[in-house]
Amino acid sequence: AQSVTQPDIHITVSEGASLELRCNYSYGATPYLFWYVQSPGQGLQLLLKYFSGDTLVQGIKGFEAEFKRSQSSFNLRKPSVHWSDAAEYFCAFFNDYKLSFGAGTTVTVRA
Amino acid sequence: SQTIHQWPATLVQPVGSPLSLECTVEGTSNPNLYWYRQAAGRGLQLLFYSVGIGQISSEVPQNLSASRPQDRQFILSSKKLLLSDSGFYLCASDGRSNTGELFFGEGSRLTVL
């Protein structure tokens, strides 16, 4: 079945350190892939998307993600995290009108 | 850009009572609309989506229903709430892009007691 998996439920990172969130997909063709972010008690905001072409995509808030077909991965990265990056992050794929989400990774930023 | 309005923002309802959550969209026409539920520690579950007025697709069998009486209005309902219906309900629109780029509302938090 088509799906995305986020192996890490919770990650703690120090402010100023780098961050990488993992996402693996299971899909026959090249999927439309996304990363969304959710601050506590709020809706979701699109960080970045991958449809085709350049496998390194840039998003908002200094985030980037790399699509690796050989590893079926679409990992999210940020070189230097800020306290405001503390949130829940969701990987998602789109197919047949529907956007399906991974279970999410909660990021805690310590001073 | 689109704006998604949801209300009420918070509600507490007894088991067996009815439910109506409303979502309206501004800034686009003929969007594809979605209802998601986010239960504690369980990620986002797609409940319903609609590609047009009166057209509803259900993803999960349950005691909830959805309706789309107008192009930019999407309503989530229940005749009798269950404890398991508690959660954070999110409405989303893709502005007819059909690409997965969704704009989300601020959500409605439902607690069933």
Side-chain angles (χ1 to χ4, degrees), chain A residues 32 34 36 38 41-44 46 49 51 88 90 94 97-99 101 103, chain B residues 32 34 36 38 44 46 49 51 59 88 90 98-102 104-106:
Chain A
Y32 287 6
F34 304 81
Y36 283 82
Q38 184 181 32
Q42 299 195 8
L44 279 75
L46 177 67
K49 62 194 178 195
F51 292 166
E88 190 161 18
F90 294 93
F94 183 74
Y97 293 105
K98 293 171 284 189
L99 188 66
F101 290 88
Chain B
N32 295 323
Y34 304 80
Y36 284 87
Q38 191 173 25
L44 286 142
L46 178 62
Y49 69 94
V51 300
E59 289 297 298
F88 191 50
L90 289 161
N98 201 26
T99 60
E101 296 184 56
L102 298 189
F104 283 83
E106 291 299 308

Side-chain angles (χ1 to χ4, degrees), chain B residues 15-89:
Chain B
V15 170
S17 64
L19 171 73
S20 181
L21 299 179
E22 189 160 345
C23 170
T24 58
V25 181
E26 293 180 356
T28 186
S29 59
N30 201 22
N32 295 323
L33 297 175
Y34 304 80
W35 277 112
Y36 284 87
R37 176 170 60 200
Q38 191 173 25
R42 293 185 61 184
L44 286 142
Q45 181 184 36
L46 178 62
L47 301 176
F48 301 95
Y49 69 94
S50 171
V51 300
I53 296 173
Q55 300 178 65
I56 308 295
S57 296
S58 173
E59 289 297 298
V60 181
Q62 58 215 323
N63 69 319
L64 298 172
S65 62
S67 62
R68 185 168 176 177
Q70 300 180 45
D71 180 46
R72 288 173 287 179
Q73 184 184 29
F74 203 24
I75 298 171
L76 184 70
S77 304
S78 174
K79 292 182 179 178
K80 289 186 177 181
L81 285 168
L82 306 173
L83 287 174
S84 58
D85 291 323
S86 293
F88 191 50
Y89 289 82

Side-chain angles (χ1 to χ4, degrees), chain A residues 12-47:
Chain A
T12 299
V13 61
S14 298
E15 191 170 15
S18 63
L19 174 68
E20 181 167 15
L21 303 182
R22 296 183 292 165
C23 173
N24 296 106
Y25 68 89
S26 172
Y27 190 70
T30 299
Y32 287 6
L33 292 166
F34 304 81
W35 277 98
Y36 283 82
V37 61
Q38 184 181 32
S39 297
Q42 299 195 8
L44 279 75
Q45 181 182 25
L46 177 67
L47 282 176

